Amino acid sequence: MSKTISVSQIKEAAQEAYEQFKDNTGGKNADYIPYLANIDKNLFGISICLLDGRTITLGDSSYCFGIESVSKVHTAILALRQYGAEKVLKMIGADATGLPFNSIMAILLENDHPSTPLVNAGAITACSMVQPVGSSDKKWEAIVSNITDLCGSAPQLIDELYKSETATNFNNRSIAWLLKNYNRIYDDPDMSLDLYTRQCSLGITAEQLSIAAATIANDGVNPVTKKLVFDASLSPKITSLVATVGFYERTGDWLYTSGIPAKTGVGGGVMGIMPGHFGISAFAPPLDSSGNSVKAQLAIKYIMNKLGLSIFGSTRFTITG
Ligand SMILES: NC(=O)CC[C@H](N)C(=O)O
């Protein structure tokens, strides 16, 4: 089957989602990172980036919030760019853990690898892999420049968030050293943890995340800047990582109900990839018990279902207008 979807239908679906969920009061801000507990819980933005570079934005889509775990996708891409798909599979893995994002149990159960770059353990490992190994400053430059390429504009470090997170990241410190115990940290553990914490503290907008998602959906070419960010062969690898574990222990429920691979962060952002068609992002701080934004989930699900889209469906669709 094939069908055509117009840009105005996409805009209408996004507008309806925004209206329908903007007053939803479900969920609660992350409170284990003090900075996030104090963010205005009413913020809500949606952004869709089409592969011709146009963006459809609603609400607080240019509000700069903590990227948090969505950055795991970006740095996984950097590791893939620097090492290639096979080495990333060997050095980190590409499996679901079925457990919360910060699980120590997951490492103990799988001590042969940290499972995936999209949970805390694998993301800290990915930071340890970033080249040049041994230089914190140069590694940081590479991380920021990769995120800038993907988003088409630079993220801004939220210093208060970085301090807040550094002062409270005891669980992640245990993860870094446990990984060291299993020879799964490829640089200094404290430096790798600091890079991970800093990248989570980068401020980003929903619009920027939708552009990054569209770059993945567009085989590595940023649809806004037209820059080739990564080799096209990496796109399906990235999307498969996101599909497998983007919502941690709730990933199956998410894919089943939304039909789109997406990655969440405790800052309230969600970034979804519709390969060959668009990138979508929504942002709202209150989270469910797994650390996934309640309103962002509702909005993206609504848009996908309203448009009748799913990466698992056989319908081939074209966007027109
Ligand atoms: N799920 C998330 O967004 C978690 C990110 C956060 N920086 C942490 O490591 O706990």
Side-chain angles (χ1 to χ4, degrees), residues 5-39:
I5 294 173
S6 66
V7 173
S8 46
Q9 277 176 298
I10 300 178
K11 280 186 185 157
E12 205 178 286
Q15 184 72 44
E16 283 172 15
Y18 182 75
E19 295 302 334
Q20 200 167 128
F21 303 119
K22 72 175 176 352
D23 300 321
N24 181 297
T25 54
K28 129 177 183 315
N29 286 25
D31 54 8
Y32 75 105
I33 299 170
Y35 173 91
L36 296 176
N38 297 323
I39 300 290

Short mmCIF file of all heavy atoms in Angstrom, two decimals, residues 5-39:
data_model
loop_
_atom_site.label_atom_id
_atom_site.label_comp_id
_atom_site.label_asym_id
_atom_site.label_seq_id
_atom_site.Cartn_x
_atom_site.Cartn_y
_atom_site.Cartn_z
N ILE A 5 1.01 12.03 2.28
CA ILE A 5 0.67 12.87 3.44
C ILE A 5 1.14 14.28 3.12
O ILE A 5 2.28 14.48 2.68
CB ILE A 5 1.38 12.36 4.71
CG1 ILE A 5 0.83 10.98 5.07
CG2 ILE A 5 1.18 13.31 5.88
CD1 ILE A 5 1.58 10.32 6.20
N SER A 6 0.26 15.26 3.32
CA SER A 6 0.67 16.64 3.01
C SER A 6 1.30 17.29 4.24
O SER A 6 1.03 16.89 5.39
CB SER A 6 -0.53 17.46 2.55
OG SER A 6 -1.43 17.61 3.61
N VAL A 7 2.12 18.29 3.98
CA VAL A 7 2.75 19.01 5.09
C VAL A 7 1.67 19.64 5.97
O VAL A 7 1.78 19.68 7.19
CB VAL A 7 3.75 20.07 4.55
CG1 VAL A 7 4.29 20.93 5.68
CG2 VAL A 7 4.89 19.39 3.83
N SER A 8 0.56 20.09 5.33
CA SER A 8 -0.49 20.69 6.19
C SER A 8 -1.16 19.66 7.08
O SER A 8 -1.56 19.98 8.20
CB SER A 8 -1.50 21.52 5.37
OG SER A 8 -1.89 20.82 4.26
N GLN A 9 -1.22 18.40 6.65
CA GLN A 9 -1.77 17.36 7.55
C GLN A 9 -0.84 17.16 8.75
O GLN A 9 -1.29 16.95 9.87
CB GLN A 9 -1.90 16.03 6.79
CG GLN A 9 -3.17 15.90 5.98
CD GLN A 9 -3.15 14.59 5.19
OE1 GLN A 9 -2.29 14.38 4.33
NE2 GLN A 9 -4.08 13.72 5.50
N ILE A 10 0.46 17.21 8.48
CA ILE A 10 1.43 17.04 9.58
C ILE A 10 1.29 18.22 10.56
O ILE A 10 1.24 18.02 11.78
CB ILE A 10 2.89 16.94 9.05
CG1 ILE A 10 3.00 15.74 8.10
CG2 ILE A 10 3.88 16.84 10.19
CD1 ILE A 10 4.38 15.56 7.48
N LYS A 11 1.18 19.43 10.00
CA LYS A 11 1.03 20.63 10.86
C LYS A 11 -0.24 20.53 11.70
O LYS A 11 -0.24 20.85 12.89
CB LYS A 11 0.92 21.89 9.98
CG LYS A 11 2.26 22.38 9.48
CD LYS A 11 2.09 23.71 8.76
CE LYS A 11 3.41 24.14 8.16
NZ LYS A 11 3.29 25.05 7.05
N GLU A 12 -1.31 20.07 11.06
CA GLU A 12 -2.59 19.96 11.77
C GLU A 12 -2.50 18.94 12.91
O GLU A 12 -2.96 19.21 14.03
CB GLU A 12 -3.63 19.50 10.75
CG GLU A 12 -5.06 19.87 11.08
CD GLU A 12 -5.95 19.38 9.95
OE1 GLU A 12 -5.94 20.02 8.87
OE2 GLU A 12 -6.64 18.35 10.15
N ALA A 13 -1.87 17.80 12.62
CA ALA A 13 -1.74 16.77 13.66
C ALA A 13 -0.89 17.31 14.83
O ALA A 13 -1.21 17.07 16.01
CB ALA A 13 -1.09 15.52 13.07
N ALA A 14 0.16 18.05 14.51
CA ALA A 14 1.04 18.59 15.56
C ALA A 14 0.27 19.63 16.39
O ALA A 14 0.37 19.64 17.63
CB ALA A 14 2.28 19.20 14.94
N GLN A 15 -0.49 20.47 15.72
CA GLN A 15 -1.30 21.49 16.41
C GLN A 15 -2.32 20.83 17.35
O GLN A 15 -2.47 21.22 18.51
CB GLN A 15 -2.00 22.36 15.36
CG GLN A 15 -2.81 23.53 15.93
CD GLN A 15 -1.91 24.64 16.48
OE1 GLN A 15 -0.92 25.01 15.83
NE2 GLN A 15 -2.23 25.14 17.66
N GLU A 16 -2.98 19.80 16.84
CA GLU A 16 -3.98 19.09 17.66
C GLU A 16 -3.31 18.47 18.89
O GLU A 16 -3.84 18.53 19.99
CB GLU A 16 -4.64 17.97 16.84
CG GLU A 16 -5.68 18.49 15.86
CD GLU A 16 -6.18 17.39 14.91
OE1 GLU A 16 -5.94 16.19 15.17
OE2 GLU A 16 -6.79 17.75 13.89
N ALA A 17 -2.14 17.85 18.67
CA ALA A 17 -1.43 17.23 19.80
C ALA A 17 -1.09 18.30 20.83
O ALA A 17 -1.26 18.10 22.04
CB ALA A 17 -0.16 16.54 19.30
N TYR A 18 -0.61 19.43 20.35
CA TYR A 18 -0.23 20.51 21.26
C TYR A 18 -1.43 20.97 22.09
O TYR A 18 -1.36 21.05 23.32
CB TYR A 18 0.36 21.69 20.47
CG TYR A 18 0.82 22.79 21.38
CD1 TYR A 18 1.99 22.67 22.11
CD2 TYR A 18 0.04 23.93 21.55
CE1 TYR A 18 2.40 23.67 22.98
CE2 TYR A 18 0.44 24.93 22.42
CZ TYR A 18 1.62 24.79 23.13
OH TYR A 18 2.00 25.76 24.00
N GLU A 19 -2.55 21.23 21.42
CA GLU A 19 -3.76 21.71 22.11
C GLU A 19 -4.26 20.66 23.11
O GLU A 19 -4.64 20.97 24.22
CB GLU A 19 -4.88 22.01 21.10
CG GLU A 19 -4.60 23.15 20.15
CD GLU A 19 -4.31 24.47 20.85
OE1 GLU A 19 -4.78 24.67 21.99
OE2 GLU A 19 -3.56 25.28 20.26
N GLN A 20 -4.25 19.41 22.65
CA GLN A 20 -4.83 18.37 23.47
C GLN A 20 -4.05 18.09 24.76
O GLN A 20 -4.65 17.77 25.78
CB GLN A 20 -4.92 17.10 22.64
CG GLN A 20 -5.92 16.13 23.20
CD GLN A 20 -6.25 15.02 22.21
OE1 GLN A 20 -6.17 13.87 22.57
NE2 GLN A 20 -6.60 15.36 20.99
N PHE A 21 -2.72 18.23 24.69
CA PHE A 21 -1.93 17.82 25.86
C PHE A 21 -1.30 18.97 26.64
O PHE A 21 -0.69 18.73 27.66
CB PHE A 21 -0.86 16.82 25.42
CG PHE A 21 -1.45 15.61 24.74
CD1 PHE A 21 -1.13 15.30 23.41
CD2 PHE A 21 -2.35 14.79 25.40
CE1 PHE A 21 -1.70 14.21 22.78
CE2 PHE A 21 -2.92 13.70 24.78
CZ PHE A 21 -2.59 13.40 23.46
N LYS A 22 -1.47 20.20 26.17
CA LYS A 22 -0.72 21.29 26.83
C LYS A 22 -1.12 21.47 28.29
O LYS A 22 -0.29 21.89 29.10
CB LYS A 22 -0.80 22.59 26.03
CG LYS A 22 -2.10 23.32 26.02
CD LYS A 22 -1.90 24.63 25.27
CE LYS A 22 -3.07 25.51 25.04
NZ LYS A 22 -4.40 25.10 25.34
N ASP A 23 -2.34 21.12 28.66
CA ASP A 23 -2.75 21.29 30.06
C ASP A 23 -2.66 20.00 30.87
O ASP A 23 -3.12 19.95 32.01
CB ASP A 23 -4.17 21.86 30.11
CG ASP A 23 -4.24 23.22 29.41
OD1 ASP A 23 -3.28 24.00 29.58
OD2 ASP A 23 -5.22 23.48 28.69
N ASN A 24 -2.11 18.96 30.28
CA ASN A 24 -1.97 17.69 30.99
C ASN A 24 -1.03 17.88 32.20
O ASN A 24 0.02 18.51 32.08
CB ASN A 24 -1.39 16.65 30.02
CG ASN A 24 -1.24 15.29 30.65
OD1 ASN A 24 -0.49 15.11 31.59
ND2 ASN A 24 -1.97 14.32 30.13
N THR A 25 -1.42 17.35 33.34
CA THR A 25 -0.60 17.56 34.55
C THR A 25 0.05 16.26 35.04
O THR A 25 0.55 16.20 36.16
CB THR A 25 -1.46 18.16 35.69
OG1 THR A 25 -2.58 17.29 35.87
CG2 THR A 25 -1.92 19.56 35.39
N GLY A 26 0.04 15.23 34.20
CA GLY A 26 0.63 13.95 34.61
C GLY A 26 2.15 14.03 34.77
O GLY A 26 2.81 14.86 34.16
N GLY A 27 2.68 13.17 35.62
CA GLY A 27 4.13 13.05 35.79
C GLY A 27 4.71 14.10 36.72
O GLY A 27 4.00 14.95 37.25
N LYS A 28 6.02 13.99 36.90
CA LYS A 28 6.69 14.91 37.83
C LYS A 28 8.14 15.11 37.38
O LYS A 28 8.76 14.18 36.86
CB LYS A 28 6.48 14.32 39.21
CG LYS A 28 7.54 14.11 40.16
CD LYS A 28 6.87 13.55 41.46
CE LYS A 28 7.83 13.33 42.60
NZ LYS A 28 9.08 12.69 42.36
N ASN A 29 8.62 16.34 37.55
CA ASN A 29 10.00 16.65 37.14
C ASN A 29 10.98 15.69 37.81
O ASN A 29 10.75 15.27 38.96
CB ASN A 29 10.41 18.05 37.59
CG ASN A 29 9.76 19.14 36.76
OD1 ASN A 29 8.71 18.95 36.17
ND2 ASN A 29 10.40 20.30 36.73
N ALA A 30 12.10 15.39 37.12
CA ALA A 30 13.17 14.61 37.75
C ALA A 30 13.60 15.35 39.01
O ALA A 30 13.79 16.57 38.97
CB ALA A 30 14.36 14.49 36.79
N ASP A 31 13.72 14.64 40.14
CA ASP A 31 14.13 15.37 41.34
C ASP A 31 15.45 14.88 41.90
O ASP A 31 15.96 15.41 42.87
CB ASP A 31 13.02 15.33 42.41
CG ASP A 31 12.60 13.93 42.72
OD1 ASP A 31 13.27 12.99 42.23
OD2 ASP A 31 11.59 13.75 43.43
N TYR A 32 16.05 13.85 41.27
CA TYR A 32 17.35 13.38 41.77
C TYR A 32 18.49 14.28 41.29
O TYR A 32 19.61 14.16 41.74
CB TYR A 32 17.57 11.91 41.40
CG TYR A 32 17.93 11.64 39.96
CD1 TYR A 32 19.23 11.32 39.60
CD2 TYR A 32 16.96 11.71 38.95
CE1 TYR A 32 19.57 11.08 38.28
CE2 TYR A 32 17.29 11.47 37.64
CZ TYR A 32 18.59 11.15 37.31
OH TYR A 32 18.91 10.92 35.99
N ILE A 33 18.18 15.18 40.33
CA ILE A 33 19.14 16.21 39.93
C ILE A 33 18.46 17.54 40.32
O ILE A 33 17.46 17.91 39.71
CB ILE A 33 19.44 16.16 38.42
CG1 ILE A 33 20.05 14.78 38.05
CG2 ILE A 33 20.38 17.29 38.01
CD1 ILE A 33 20.18 14.50 36.57
N PRO A 34 18.96 18.22 41.37
CA PRO A 34 18.23 19.38 41.92
C PRO A 34 17.85 20.41 40.86
O PRO A 34 16.72 20.93 40.89
CB PRO A 34 19.22 19.96 42.93
CG PRO A 34 20.08 18.79 43.33
CD PRO A 34 20.16 17.89 42.15
N TYR A 35 18.70 20.71 39.89
CA TYR A 35 18.39 21.73 38.88
C TYR A 35 17.09 21.38 38.13
O TYR A 35 16.25 22.24 37.87
CB TYR A 35 19.56 21.83 37.88
CG TYR A 35 19.28 22.73 36.70
CD1 TYR A 35 19.61 24.08 36.73
CD2 TYR A 35 18.69 22.22 35.53
CE1 TYR A 35 19.36 24.90 35.64
CE2 TYR A 35 18.44 23.03 34.43
CZ TYR A 35 18.78 24.38 34.50
OH TYR A 35 18.53 25.18 33.42
N LEU A 36 16.93 20.10 37.79
CA LEU A 36 15.78 19.70 36.98
C LEU A 36 14.46 19.79 37.76
O LEU A 36 13.41 20.04 37.18
CB LEU A 36 15.97 18.26 36.46
CG LEU A 36 17.14 18.05 35.50
CD1 LEU A 36 17.26 16.57 35.13
CD2 LEU A 36 16.98 18.89 34.23
N ALA A 37 14.56 19.61 39.07
CA ALA A 37 13.35 19.68 39.90
C ALA A 37 12.71 21.06 39.83
O ALA A 37 11.50 21.20 40.00
CB ALA A 37 13.70 19.33 41.34
N ASN A 38 13.54 22.09 39.56
CA ASN A 38 13.03 23.46 39.60
C ASN A 38 12.64 24.06 38.25
O ASN A 38 12.28 25.22 38.17
CB ASN A 38 14.10 24.37 40.24
CG ASN A 38 14.35 23.94 41.67
OD1 ASN A 38 13.42 23.56 42.38
ND2 ASN A 38 15.62 23.95 42.09
N ILE A 39 12.72 23.29 37.19
CA ILE A 39 12.33 23.79 35.86
C ILE A 39 10.81 23.92 35.80
O ILE A 39 10.09 23.06 36.32
CB ILE A 39 12.83 22.81 34.76
CG1 ILE A 39 14.34 22.67 34.78
CG2 ILE A 39 12.34 23.23 33.37
CD1 ILE A 39 15.11 23.87 34.34
#
